[in-house]
Amino acid sequence: IEKPNILFIAIDDLRPELGAYGSEVAITPNMDALAAEGLLFNNAYCQEAICSPSRASVMTGARPETINVIENFSYFRDLNPDIVTLPQHLQTAGYETVYAGKIFHPGYTDEELSWSRKAYSGPKVEEMPERVRGYVLAENQEIFRKNRAEVIAKYGENAPRNGLGKGPAYEFADAPDNSYEDGHNTELAIETMKEMAQNDKPFFLGLGFLKPHLEWIAPKKYWDMYEDVDLQLTDQHEGPVNGAAMGLHASFELRARADIPNYGDIEEEQAKNLKRAYLATVSYVDAQIGKMLKALEEEGLRDNTIIMLWSDHGWHLGDMGIWGKATNYEIATRVPLIVSTPNMPDAVRGSKTNALVELVDMYPTLCELAGVSIPESVEGQSFKPLLTNPN
Amino acid sequence: MEWKTAAFTQFPSPALREWAANPLSKGMRETSFGPLLEEVEDRIKKQQGDKWNRDLFENRLMGYSMRTSQYRFTVWKDYTDTKAKPIFFELYDHQSDPKETVNIANDNPNLVAQLL
C-alpha cells in the first residue's frame, strides 16, 4: 500500500477567524477552499495558549506537564531525551521528514532527531531575496535595532527579556510576498516538495507560518484588502464578572511594541488598525497556503497527501480587555483545525464536526492515517473515526 | 460512537511566561513591564486577601481548564503540590454565556464538585 504524504501546516497565533469558521470580515479563500474539501473542527483546543508548550505538546503527543514544558524557556529534548516526536517516528516508518518555517518553537527545533533532511537549498532559492527576519522598511528596522540595543545595554544579552525592545506592531511595505519570511518559506517548501516528489519515499512536510504572530508585517496589498471592510471591535472590554484575577494579564506582548502605549487604554482608532493588521497577516498567510496547495496539485501529489492545518492557540483582539494569548479562556484556547485526507468520503468533505478534539490528538491521528503504530508515550486520542463519521 | 467529553488546557500565573521562566525574573519588575505586573498583582491581592503569597502567585500557580460540550471549568492551584487544595474556581456556561462573561462557580457548588 502506498503510504500517503503529509502536509502539516502550522500557523502561529491564528484564532478561528476565517471565513470557513463564520468570520464575516476575514478574507481567507484558500483556507476556506481547503475546508470545503476536508473536515473542519469546530471545537479544537490547544493544551496551553503559548507557543513552545503548545508546539512541544503537539509534536511529542504529550501534555505540557508530562514533558515539563509550561513556558517558553525549556527545551523538551533537554527534559525528555528519549521522547519520540511525530516526524521522528514517521522516519522509522520510511518517511522523509523536512520543514520550512516554524514548526517547533524557534531554537528548540530538534534538528538531529526529528528531521531527515534540510529544506531545499538549490539554485532557485539563491534567486530569492535575502531572507528577511522582520521589517522591510528601513525606518522600522532602525527603530527595532535602537530599542533592542537599549534593552541589551541595560539588561544584558542573556536577560530573559527577549520580548522587550521591539519595533512597531505592524508594517505593510509595498513589497513582494517573499520579502517577508512566510512568503520566502512557502517558496522553500514548494521547491522542497518538488524535490521530494522525485523520491520513492513518502514525505512529511512541515510548513510553519510565523504570522499572524506579532509583529503584524506583510506586503501592503494584504492591508489594502481591508480598506473598505467595516471592522467591528469587540464589545467585551472587561474580564468575566467574578472571574479569576490571575486569569487575565496586561497585554504584555503587544505593549512591548514601540508604537503601543506601555500603560492605559488602546485608543479605538489604534485598536481598529491593530485588528486590520492582524487580519491582513491572516490573509497573507492564506495566500501562501493557496500557493502551496496549487503546487501540490500541479505536482500531481494532492490525491495522495494528507493535509492537516492547525494553529498553536487563539488570540485576544481586545476581547476581555486583552491583546494577546496566554489565558485559559475560550478565545485563547480554541483553534482552527482542518483536515483533508485522500480517501475521505465525499459526504464528509466540506462538513464540520462539533466533536471535542485537542491538538495533542493530531499525533496519533496522523500515525493511524499513515498506518504507523502509535508510541506509548502519546497521550492524545486519534480522531481518525471522525474523518468518516463527523457526527 | 463514544467520544472524549472534555478538552484540557493549562496556563501558569502570572501570564508572563512568554518572557520569563520559573522563577519569574526579578529584573522584570524594573522594566517597563514593572507597573503592569504590579497592576495585575494588585488585582490578585485584592481578590485573594489573606491567601495572597508572592511565591505561590508568581512561581507555583497553575490554571487547569477543562472544556466540555457545555462548560468551561478552570481550577487554580499550586501545581507543585498535587494534594494542594484549589484556591479559585471558574465556571462558564457556554449554552447561556458563550463569551464567558460571568463566572458562575459560586452559584453552582454541586456542579463544581462534579466537574472537579
Side-chain angles (χ1 to χ4, degrees):
Chain A
I1 299 171
E2 192 181 359
K3 282 202 180 298
N5 301 309
I6 299 168
L7 176 59
F8 193 65
I9 301 174
I11 309 175
D12 207 348
D13 290 9
L14 176 67
R15 68 194 214 163
E17 185 88 41
L18 308 173
Y21 275 90
S23 171
E24 293 175 355
V25 291
I27 302 169
T28 53
N30 295 292
M31 286 189 269
D32 299 347
L34 179 64
E37 295 169 14
L39 178 63
L40 179 149
F41 291 78
N42 266 328
N43 292 305
Y45 292 90
C46 70
Q47 272 46 79
E48 191 170 331
I50 191 171
C51 181
S52 189
S54 178
R55 288 165 186 259
S57 171
V58 165
M59 299 303 283
T60 61
R63 295 180 189 278
E65 252 178 51
T66 304
I67 51 174
N68 277 317
V69 179
I70 58 167
E71 29 71 4
N72 276 357
F73 292 84
S74 299
Y75 185 14
F76 74 92
R77 185 58 77 191
D78 288 343
L79 301 171
N80 307 271
D82 298 326
I83 203 157
V84 180
T85 68
L86 173 62
Q88 184 184 357
H89 188 55
L90 290 171
Q91 277 182 60
T92 63
Y95 274 77
E96 190 153 38
T97 63
V98 63
Y99 78 101
K102 180 176 176 180
I103 300 295
F104 286 106
H105 190 60
Y108 303 152
T109 52
D110 201 37
E111 295 294 330
E112 294 291 319
L113 296 175
S114 285
W115 310 106
S116 61
R117 54 159 288 172
K118 294 281 184 190
Y120 181 84
S121 57
K124 192 160 182 198
V125 169
E126 289 171 8
E127 294 166 12
M128 296 175 183
E130 189 179 343
R131 182 169 174 267
V132 176
R133 273 204 71 165
Y135 305 99
V136 165
L137 298 178
E139 60 263 37
N140 289 338
Q141 291 174 1
E142 184 52 32
I143 291 169
F144 174 75
R145 265 196 294 271
K146 182 170 166 288
N147 289 350
R148 187 71 193 139
E150 279 178 12
V151 166
I152 290 171
K154 196 169 179 183
Y155 304 112
E157 185 76 60
N158 297 319
R161 297 179 185 85
N162 58 359
L164 300 176
K166 294 289 190 183
Y170 57 90
E171 169 193 278
F172 293 92
D174 195 358
D177 281 4
N178 61 7
S179 296
Y180 290 99
E181 214 169 347
D182 283 337
H184 174 85
N185 287 333
T186 303
E187 292 185 4
L188 208 62
I190 289 171
E191 294 305 318
T192 307
M193 180 268 294
K194 287 179 180 173
E195 210 171 59
M196 291 193 295
Q198 308 306 315
N199 295 346
D200 294 334
K201 284 183 169 184
F203 63 74
F204 173 93
L205 173 58
L207 172 55
F209 293 100
L210 293 131
K211 301 299 140 195
H213 190 293
L214 281 165
E215 295 73 28
W216 295 315
I217 55 178
K220 181 175 175 292
K221 63 181 174 182
Y222 299 103
W223 172 262
D224 291 343
M225 286 166 72
Y226 292 88
E227 181 71 46
D228 298 319
V229 177
D230 182 21
L231 293 178
Q232 298 294 318
L233 298 173
T234 178
D235 57 3
Q236 187 183 9
H237 301 293
E238 301 291 333
V241 174
N242 298 325
M246 63 289 248
L248 296 167
H249 58 74
S251 308
F252 299 104
E253 184 177 13
L254 179 67
R255 292 183 186 280
R257 268 62 199 180
D259 52 346
I260 304 297
N262 284 340
Y263 324 106
D265 294 336
I266 307 287
E267 298 293 333
E268 185 176 337
E269 188 181 344
Q270 188 168 38
K272 283 196 171 178
N273 281 337
L274 293 172
K275 185 166 184 181
R276 179 174 173 180
Y278 180 88
L279 289 169
T281 56
V282 171
S283 293
Y284 170 53
V285 167
D286 180 79
Q288 308 320 301
I289 290 169
K291 289 178 192 174
M292 183 73 233
L293 297 182
K294 183 166 178 273
L296 198 67
E297 189 85 49
E298 287 172 352
E299 209 59 32
L301 297 175
R302 181 70 186 266
D303 290 343
N304 191 38
T305 300
I306 297 163
I307 301 169
M308 189 171 272
L309 180 150
W310 58 282
S311 165
D312 53 0
H313 41 71
W315 225 82
H316 292 251
L317 285 170
D319 313 84
M320 297 187 176
I322 290 180
W323 292 82
K325 50 226 181 203
T327 79
N328 273 322
Y329 296 108
E330 185 82 357
I331 201 84
T333 58
R334 182 169 167 252
V335 297
L337 174 64
I338 300 171
V339 180
S340 162
T341 66
N343 52 2
M344 185 175 263
D346 286 344
V348 174
R349 292 189 189 280
S351 57
K352 300 177 180 181
T353 177
N354 290 325
L356 280 169
V357 295
E358 302 173 278
L359 290 185
V360 75
D361 299 334
M362 293 196 296
Y363 188 137
T365 303
L366 285 173
C367 286
E368 271 212 310
L369 290 171
V372 176
S373 65
I374 300 170
E376 283 184 15
S377 57
V378 167
E379 295 179 308
Q381 172 187 340
S382 168
F383 54 72
K384 180 172 174 272
L386 294 173
L387 299 172
T388 49
N389 181 9
N391 297 315
Chain B
M1 182 165 55
E2 285 188 14
W3 200 249
K4 66 168 66 182
T5 53
F8 296 89
T9 190
Q10 63 183 103
F11 209 89
S13 166
L16 201 59
R17 288 300 185 272
E18 194 166 5
W19 297 305
N22 285 336
L24 191 70
S25 166
K26 290 175 187 169
M28 191 67 76
R29 291 183 186 282
E30 279 78 60
T31 70
S32 60
F33 284 164
L36 289 172
L37 197 55
E38 281 171 22
E39 187 185 305
V40 175
E41 188 177 281
D42 286 344
R43 282 206 306 261
I44 301 172
K45 277 181 188 170
K46 193 175 168 189
Q47 186 175 66
Q48 293 298 313
D50 293 345
K51 286 188 279 184
W52 163 256
N53 168 318
R54 174 165 286 174
D55 180 44
L56 170 62
F57 283 86
E58 277 195 0
N59 302 316
R60 294 184 284 119
L61 191 60
M62 182 71 75
Y64 295 96
S65 195
M66 179 170 80
R67 178 68 158 89
T68 70
S69 58
Q70 184 171 355
Y71 300 105
R72 173 170 299 285
F73 176 56
T74 303
V75 176
W76 291 90
K77 69 181 291 272
D78 181 346
Y79 79 90
T80 65
D81 180 1
T82 53
K83 291 178 182 168
K85 287 185 178 172
I87 65 161
F88 201 87
F89 296 115
E90 291 180 90
L91 179 63
Y92 303 98
D93 184 343
H94 273 258
Q95 276 184 3
S96 58
D97 182 22
K99 288 187 171 180
E100 300 177 341
T101 64
V102 183
N103 176 16
I104 57 170
N106 284 343
D107 300 330
N108 295 275
N110 292 339
L111 181 56
V112 166
Q114 185 190 343
L115 292 168
L116 188 63

